[in-house]
Amino acid sequence: MIKVLILEDEDAASTRLKKMVAEILPEAEFLAIISGVKQGLEWFAANKHPDLIFADIQLNDGTSFDIFMQVETESPVIFTT
């Protein structure tokens, strides 16, 4: 099982991405869809890091880089901007 986190603030984009990933990786477990920096920082503080992160650059209250500057993760990141 591959644990996947999505950082995306647009509902249509996150729904489409989740569907595409599930078609390619049916074993994927989606941990959360994070829409903002504050929410992302809280999620990372409370959860084990995922196996893979799909990240839009622009989120509703900043950028995904704002998260990665404060959270050290070894998870691979695929930018989906």
Side-chain angles (χ1 to χ4, degrees), residues 51-70:
D51 298 318
L52 181 61
I53 300 169
F54 287 94
D56 184 17
I57 292 176
Q58 187 62 47
L59 302 174
N60 65 15
D61 61 351
T63 69
S64 57
F65 296 116
D66 296 329
I67 297 172
F68 298 132
M69 287 190 295
Q70 297 180 56

Side-chain angles (χ1 to χ4, degrees), residues 35-48:
S35 62
V37 174
K38 183 177 185 247
Q39 181 187 13
L41 293 174
E42 291 170 355
W43 190 91
F44 277 106
N47 294 280
K48 185 177 176 189

Side-chain angles (χ1 to χ4, degrees), residues 10-31:
E10 295 180 23
D11 290 338
S14 63
T15 300
R16 186 172 53 248
L17 177 60
K18 186 176 178 182
K19 181 180 176 192
M20 289 180 356
V21 172
E23 288 175 4
I24 295 168
L25 296 170
E27 69 276 16
E29 175 187 353
F30 295 92
L31 303 176

